[in-house]
Amino acid sequence: MTFVDDLTTVARREWTRWGGPVEKIDGTLIGFTDPRMEAKHPFWTYVGEYWQSIGIDLDGRDAPAWSGAFICYCFKQAGAKKRFPYQDNHSIYVSKIDSGKFAGLSLEDPAATTLAIGDLLWASRSGESCRTPPSNFADAKTELRKIREKTADSFCSHCDIVVAIRPGEADVIGGNVKQAVTRTTYKLDSNGRIRDGRRTFVGVIKVSL
Amino acid sequence: MAIHFDVVRDGKHYSARPDNASAFAIGSKVSYRNKKTGVERFGLSNDGGFFGSDEARKQLYVASDYQTVYPFWCDFIEPTAICEGQSFISLNTYDRARFTFGFGQFAAHVPDGDFIRWFRDMLQRPEVVDYFPNLEVRGGRIVKVEDSKIIPMEDAGSTEPLQLYFNPTLDDVEDAEVIAAAKLIHWTGSHPEARLLQVQHMINTASRLVKEADKRLGLDGRGADICCVVMDVRHQGRAGFDELQAALLAKKPFDALLEVGGHGEPERVKNLKAALVTRRAGLQQKKWSRSAGNFV
């Protein structure tokens, strides 16, 4: 078993634990038992486990966005140990990966990168108290450098783990997607690069741990 | 930070000026009298022949631009796109839909319809704060957030609150209507992913219509040229399944299908025929497969 096998196994296990909610490629939603599954028992207890995996004392019924904690949980459970920069904010851990100090993890341009299983697909997002996020890879790189240099705050974004690839499609699993751990299918172009208008993808993190 | 749009009116022509930038055309005030009721309605249009059409023509949907993302499907929707004006910023706010937008003429009045599905996804894009900072998707539905109040804008039975948000009345052209149109036009023109999303949703719509028609008409194994005409008829709503079934049983089903609904919509049928002259051979390369749920 490779690390990527372990990572995708953990992601799939967690998704199954949530009952398998799906957003299909045409946007159809399946398997959501409540509009806010994260607030229902036992799901909030799972969110609590994600927080506790990175040493943050929240029980899952709290306000902060938990998608970053989910990614960290998956890496920790898959055995990444100190090889992943655990942070609940995606832009902060991506800035550390982009520093080049984490061997086996690298940030690539989504417009030029063929997706593979185990990659992290990184998209910018808006939200309450969020500053304007970058809208492309070049801007994201600039913002990440500023974050490292402490001349800019973090920004709101989201990562999913790629768990399956088919011609023209990729399945990803992420936390806090439609208030659940959700498997989403995105569109790929004929070169296997992400091309889906539902999100603004600003990076792909290649994982070869 | 939300972009502020000022309305610029010159007679019946409307433009909008975003923050620190030049004004851009929105459309012209047009009227439409319902033949049955005699009621006259007013709204905006940027269709050919009206002010703004030059702007609309600069942003055309062309299938070849999307060949690497949606091979074949991008060709399948092109004839209908041409019939609907072909522009990513095509606008019409004077009929019963109250607000239709894009090269697929997504219409705001249908619960869970094409406009609603597309706009929900638009609202989840990061630049939404520039355009509609008070609208969100919660629990899969569009809501307006006012202070701490959450106001539903659509549900499974109605989209009326969202229609009124975009277009308060059909008696005149209101500032709210011009500004809503300005936001969608500016958003679509400024962000390639917003245009990609429109293509994605038009293909989703076309796929749904073909699958639905297959259940009623039995399209399994039929050529994509036949399915393209069926899809166009259903998309515009110019005829029912009975007429389509009769045409499919005719000696020359493709020719018969092209006549369906022609008495009420002669211009549309003429445009569809013209669009298919050079495209039919390409479409005939594939057939609808019920088991695959796709053209093979």
Side-chain angles (χ1 to χ4, degrees):
Chain A
M1 289 273 278
T2 64
F3 176 81
V4 162
D5 291 334
D6 291 337
L7 179 67
T8 55
T9 299
V10 172
R12 286 181 182 283
R13 183 193 74 201
E14 287 307 301
W15 173 65
T16 304
R17 201 150 69 122
W18 284 71
V22 167
E23 180 179 350
K24 292 169 67 175
I25 198 158
D26 66 357
T28 307
L29 303 179
I30 299 171
F32 291 84
T33 54
D34 187 272
R36 280 200 70 216
M37 285 179 71
E38 64 186 2
K40 301 290 176 189
H41 192 274
F43 303 115
W44 62 261
T45 67
Y46 306 159
V47 177
E49 290 176 36
Y50 306 150
W51 285 121
Q52 283 142 34
S53 76
I54 49 172
I56 294 178
D57 188 22
L58 297 173
D59 73 1
R61 289 175 291 188
D62 322 88
W66 51 273
S67 59
F70 175 77
I71 294 293
C72 292
Y73 173 88
C74 291
F75 272 81
K76 198 157 259 187
Q77 288 276 308
K81 296 184 179 162
K82 291 183 177 175
R83 293 178 293 169
F84 187 83
Y86 300 97
Q87 285 282 341
D88 62 323
N89 182 299
H90 299 282
S91 68
I92 294 177
Y93 73 68
V94 177
S95 76
K96 292 183 177 183
I97 290 168
D98 188 48
S99 71
K101 290 179 182 165
F102 286 84
L105 301 171
S106 63
L107 177 64
E108 309 290 342
D109 183 352
T113 304
T114 299
L115 275 192
I117 292 172
D119 290 350
L120 298 186
L121 190 52
W122 185 39
S124 61
R125 70 169 181 87
S126 61
E128 213 174 311
S129 313
C130 295
R131 68 180 175 98
T132 304
S135 58
N136 56 54
F137 179 67
D139 290 350
K141 289 279 281 186
T142 303
E143 292 303 318
L144 293 175
R145 196 190 65 239
K146 289 181 186 170
I147 291 170
R148 284 196 298 277
E149 291 168 349
K150 301 193 188 316
T151 56
D153 290 334
S154 61
F155 55 85
C156 296
S157 60
H158 177 82
C159 277
D160 292 298
I161 300 166
V162 178
V163 296
I165 304 268
R166 296 177 295 281
E169 296 181 358
D171 291 340
V172 302
I173 290 175
N176 203 6
V177 176
K178 310 254 182 307
Q179 287 79 48
V181 169
T182 299
R183 193 188 77 198
T184 307
T185 302
Y186 284 123
K187 190 81 186 82
L188 305 181
D189 69 13
S190 53
N191 296 310
R193 298 168 186 153
I194 186 75
R195 283 297 305 277
D196 196 301
R198 285 174 285 176
R199 302 283 180 274
T200 292
F201 298 99
V202 292
V204 172
I205 292 136
K206 287 282 174 191
V207 177
S208 54
L209 294 176
Chain B
M1 181 79 173
I3 300 168
H4 177 79
F5 291 87
D6 285 321
V7 175
V8 182
R9 182 176 176 167
D10 177 11
K12 66 176 190 171
H13 302 149
Y14 287 82
S15 303
R17 184 180 294 114
D19 293 337
N20 305 319
S22 306
F24 61 93
I26 303 299
S28 285
K29 180 177 178 178
V30 294
S31 64
Y32 170 77
R33 188 178 295 278
N34 186 302
K35 285 173 193 162
K36 284 183 192 161
T37 63
V39 174
E40 192 171 24
R41 291 160 164 174
F42 297 91
L44 290 165
S45 169
N46 61 3
D47 290 347
F50 295 111
F51 175 80
S53 60
D54 285 348
E55 285 301 312
R57 270 195 291 272
K58 284 179 197 164
Q59 299 195 47
L60 293 186
Y61 169 75
V62 179
S64 56
D65 293 344
Y66 294 91
Q67 197 62 241
T68 61
V69 192
Y70 288 107
F72 193 75
W73 277 100
C74 65
D75 298 313
F76 184 79
I77 62 170
E78 194 175 45
T80 297
I82 289 167
C83 293
E84 298 284 10
Q86 208 180 346
S87 174
F88 279 104
I89 60 167
S90 188
L91 172 74
N92 160 7
T93 70
Y94 57 81
D95 66 13
R96 71 191 175 101
R98 275 184 181 261
F99 205 98
T100 67
F101 189 74
F103 72 82
Q105 289 282 307
F106 296 157
H109 67 306
V110 183
D112 294 324
D114 46 18
F115 186 98
I116 299 297
R117 289 168 186 244
W118 160 75
F119 195 55
R120 282 180 197 144
D121 277 349
M122 285 289 274
L123 291 177
Q124 295 186 70
R125 293 198 42 76
E127 64 276 5
V128 64
V129 290
D130 295 338
Y131 297 101
F132 295 98
N134 60 345
L135 296 182
E136 288 180 19
V137 177
R138 291 201 184 180
R141 298 277 176 199
I142 299 166
V143 299
K144 185 162 78 172
V145 182
E146 259 181 11
D147 300 322
S148 54
K149 268 199 323 193
I150 306 296
I151 302 162
M153 301 297 276
E154 48 103 5
D155 58 29
S158 171
T159 67
E160 195 177 352
L162 191 68
Q163 290 179 53
L164 296 175
Y165 177 89
F166 276 110
N167 185 0
T169 78
L170 291 169
D171 301 330
D172 205 345
V173 172
E174 296 89 7
D175 281 0
E177 181 179 350
V178 181
I179 289 168
K183 288 177 174 182
L184 289 180
I185 288 171
H186 193 270
W187 193 350
T188 303
S190 307
H191 296 273
E193 286 108 331
R195 295 193 290 279
L196 175 63
L197 190 60
Q198 206 180 107
V199 175
Q200 220 163 309
H201 275 270
M202 185 59 198
I203 288 170
N204 291 345
T205 297
S207 174
R208 271 199 305 275
L209 289 170
V210 173
K211 284 175 185 166
E212 181 195 51
D214 180 27
K215 282 184 191 162
R216 302 289 297 269
L217 304 169
L219 296 177
D220 195 28
R222 292 278 195 173
D225 57 333
I226 295 276
C227 296
C228 179
V229 182
V230 170
M231 187 279 285
D232 185 76
V233 171
R234 296 303 299 158
H235 183 260
Q236 200 202 9
R238 65 179 177 273
F241 287 114
D242 289 352
E243 284 177 76
L244 287 167
Q245 188 65 276
L248 281 167
L249 294 170
K251 202 177 260 182
K252 293 183 174 178
F254 180 78
D255 295 336
L257 281 167
L258 278 173
E259 300 305 324
V260 169
H263 50 283
E265 298 286 346
E267 196 66 19
R268 171 67 170 237
V269 168
K270 191 178 123 195
N271 291 339
L272 183 63
K273 284 179 183 172
L276 283 165
V277 166
T278 55
R279 292 172 178 81
R280 187 183 178 196
L283 292 173
Q284 282 176 312
Q285 302 300 309
K286 293 209 177 198
K287 295 182 190 306
W288 178 252
S289 163
R290 186 176 300 156
S291 60
N294 208 338
F295 291 102
V296 294

